Amino acid sequence: MTNAALALIVFCAATCDKLVRGQEVGGERFLCTAVPVGAGSCPVSPVSPVSPAQTEEELRNTVLQLRETVLQQKETIVSQQDTIQELSAKLNLCESASWRSSKQDTMDDVPRDPSDTVYSLGRTMQSLKDRLENLEQQQMRANVSGVAFPNELRDLLQRRLGDLENQLLRKVSELETEKSLLYNESAAHRLKTENTLNSLEDRVKELENGSLVAHCNTSSSSSSSCNNGFKTPKDFKLSLPLRTNYLFGRVKKSLPEMYAFTVCMWLKSASGPGIGTPFSYGVPGQANEIVLIEWGNNPIELLINDKVAQLPLILNDGRWHHICITWTTRDGFWEAYQDGQRVGTGENLAPWHPIKPDGVLILGQEQDSVGGRFDATQAFVGDISHFNIWDRVLRPLDIVAMANCTAYSPGNVVAWADGDVEVFGGASKLPAELCEDRLFGS
């Protein structure tokens, strides 16, 4: 290369450097062009100056484009935020149904807790959302500065969000399927339980009927005496063999409003302290309208409208006893009879309180609410028969006649009859010959 060529190159480089630096001061724009070695000069073509009107028009177009880009990006962000909120709501709805399935044991892998999966997916979505917003902000800044911004990253994040959304939708679908399977399994289990209970109830009825048949086959009664299991509708006893809260009898008839009553029954309780509750009558608002109870080591008590009187009855010897209780609202006067003998009297027991009507009469259990909420510790264990109620005070002569088996008078309010007594929980109705049993001391 000759010395002249080298000088020409140095001259052009210096000129270009001067022109480039000059554009920062003078506002003019110059371009540097490569010069061949054999050229005789350094051609420099200055860029034609831009008029203020053109500059203003370009700026206006740029502002409009930026505004449109910002609006589009804002709509995209809002749309993806709505999508994320919708998916989060679906996951929250299905999360309660999925936790039970996560506890099932498998032979290989233990399934992850759905709440952990949901939390992890939520964090991943939030991270991708933040990265997308950063890229959109960078794109906005690049558009302002006029530098081309690569869309590959944004497209990649869009695809990742789409894949994640599909994954969440599949998870939601799986959880809904598991919830449906759990519901079907629960319904099948409930149906199986009901069928089992029905089978047990049928079996209990068969055993009860078998007991009646066995009694008729082994007794000395004629064949006609075992029709329906009893000689007459009143010749039966209610048997309550266990101290539970589910064995009891219920009298179908209720009581009218009464200002006096007499209750009589034959009763044989299991030996031991506390015979329990031979009967209870509850009405709405007062579960202890009439109750006869002996609980623990306490004496036998008569409750009327939740007021208490202690009765001098002794019934826990395992033998049949005939008892009668009378009461009148006038002065709350009461009498207690055992085996035809009056053993106690008193007064001021719920005086001037009429017995309320339309209640529930239970044999063998004490009611904490009308018709229910029984307590096993207060249950009666033994046999009950000839339970009758009158709406007046009976004469002592009538009570003695019934206790001595010389007469029988059914109650005019509640009369002891097979068709009027229902049994529940394994309680049974068996034939009874009270006077013969009492005579032989059984």
Side-chain angles (χ1 to χ4, degrees):
M1 184 180 294
T2 62
N3 293 331
L6 291 175
L8 179 61
I9 292 172
V10 172
F11 172 77
C12 290
T15 305
C16 289
D17 180 74
K18 181 179 180 181
L19 292 174
V20 171
R21 292 178 180 275
Q23 70 182 4
E24 297 177 358
V25 180
E28 296 182 351
R29 302 173 63 188
F30 298 94
L31 297 176
C32 294
T33 305
V35 179
V37 176
S41 65
C42 182
V44 177
S45 301
V47 179
S48 62
V50 181
S51 65
Q54 292 177 349
T55 303
E56 183 178 359
E57 183 66 23
E58 289 180 358
L59 291 175
R60 184 180 296 106
N61 293 334
T62 302
V63 170
L64 293 176
Q65 291 177 359
L66 290 175
R67 183 178 299 170
E68 183 177 357
T69 301
V70 170
L71 291 176
Q72 291 177 354
Q73 298 297 336
K74 183 177 180 180
E75 291 177 357
T76 302
I77 293 173
V78 171
S79 176
Q80 295 193 1
Q81 287 177 346
D82 294 339
T83 302
I84 292 172
Q85 292 177 357
E86 181 180 358
L87 292 175
S88 299
K90 290 181 179 179
L91 289 174
N92 290 332
L93 289 175
C94 297
E95 183 177 355
S96 59
S98 65
W99 70 272
R100 284 181 288 185
S101 62
S102 65
K103 293 184 179 181
Q104 296 177 351
D105 294 333
T106 61
M107 296 299 294
D108 299 326
D109 297 331
V110 178
R112 295 182 61 187
D113 191 345
S115 61
D116 296 338
T117 303
V118 171
Y119 178 73
S120 177
L121 292 175
R123 291 189 59 182
T124 302
M125 288 190 65
Q126 184 63 38
S127 175
L128 292 176
K129 177 176 174 292
D130 295 339
R131 291 171 64 184
L132 180 62
E133 290 179 353
N134 291 333
L135 290 176
E136 289 172 346
Q137 293 176 1
Q138 293 178 19
Q139 184 178 13
M140 291 171 60
R141 290 193 295 268
N143 291 334
V144 171
S145 61
V147 179
F149 183 81
N151 294 326
E152 287 80 4
L153 290 178
R154 188 183 68 177
D155 294 339
L156 177 61
L157 284 179
Q158 291 285 6
R159 289 194 299 271
R160 290 287 301 276
L161 284 175
D163 294 340
L164 187 59
E165 180 180 356
N166 293 332
Q167 183 180 354
L168 290 175
L169 291 176
R170 287 195 300 270
K171 186 65 177 178
V172 169
S173 179
E174 292 175 359
L175 295 178
E176 290 178 349
T177 302
E178 292 175 359
K179 180 179 179 181
S180 178
L181 292 176
L182 289 174
Y183 176 80
N184 294 334
E185 182 180 355
S186 300
H189 180 70
R190 182 170 59 253
L191 180 61
K192 182 179 179 180
T193 302
E194 292 177 354
N195 292 335
T196 302
L197 291 176
N198 292 333
S199 299
L200 289 175
E201 185 177 357
D202 294 339
R203 180 58 178 164
V204 169
K205 291 181 180 178
E206 291 178 2
L207 293 174
E208 292 174 353
N209 295 333
S211 298
L212 293 176
V213 172
H215 175 82
C216 290
N217 291 335
T218 57
S219 67
S220 60
S221 302
S222 62
S223 59
S224 61
S225 66
C226 286
N227 293 333
N228 297 326
F230 315 124
K231 292 181 180 180
T232 64
K234 67 180 179 62
D235 289 329
F236 73 97
K237 63 182 178 181
L238 174 65
S239 179
L240 304 166
L242 300 175
R243 190 180 297 276
T244 69
N245 62 350
Y246 55 84
L247 272 75
F248 65 97
R250 184 174 65 189
V251 179
K252 294 181 180 180
K253 294 183 178 180
S254 185
L255 305 182
E257 186 177 55
M258 298 187 301
Y259 297 88
F261 67 77
T262 299
V263 178
C264 293
M265 73 189 81
W266 283 93
L267 183 147
K268 183 172 73 171
S269 70
S271 300
I275 67 170
T277 308
F279 79 95
S280 63
Y281 175 69
V283 297
Q286 180 54 272
N288 296 326
E289 187 69 0
I290 308 175
V291 180
L292 181 66
I293 184 173
E294 184 182 34
W295 189 17
N297 295 320
N298 297 322
I300 295 179
E301 296 177 340
L302 173 66
L303 281 67
I304 297 179
N305 192 32
D306 220 13
K307 306 301 186 295
V308 182
Q310 296 183 350
L311 308 184
L313 300 175
I314 301 175
L315 306 172
N316 59 352
D317 56 1
R319 300 171 62 90
W320 280 108
H321 292 282
H322 184 267
I323 62 172
C324 284
I325 300 169
T326 69
W327 173 87
T328 176
T329 186
R330 183 175 181 179
D331 295 329
F333 183 77
W334 59 268
E335 298 173 305
Y337 292 81
Q338 180 172 336
D339 298 327
Q341 302 295 320
R342 188 170 68 177
V343 295
T345 63
E347 59 182 3
N348 201 32
L349 175 60
W352 314 110
H353 170 76
I355 300 300
K356 297 178 182 179
D358 303 324
V360 177
L361 185 57
I362 298 294
L363 302 178
Q365 296 285 353
E366 191 271 335
Q367 307 173 58
D368 286 335
S369 63
V370 179
R373 289 185 61 189
F374 304 139
D375 186 346
T377 62
Q378 299 174 342
F380 172 79
V381 180
D383 299 326
I384 299 174
S385 185
H386 288 186
F387 180 87
N388 294 279
I389 299 179
W390 295 261
D391 60 358
R392 65 182 187 276
V393 175
L394 293 185
R395 298 178 303 171
L397 181 64
D398 298 328
I399 295 175
V400 171
M402 286 189 290
N404 293 335
C405 295
T406 58
Y408 175 76
S409 301
N412 68 332
V413 174
V414 173
W416 186 249
D418 178 23
D420 291 337
V421 178
E422 298 177 301
V423 293
F424 298 89
S428 59
K429 292 186 288 185
L430 301 174
E433 297 177 352
L434 298 174
C435 292
E436 290 83 349
D437 291 343
R438 185 165 181 249
L439 178 62
F440 291 102
S442 60

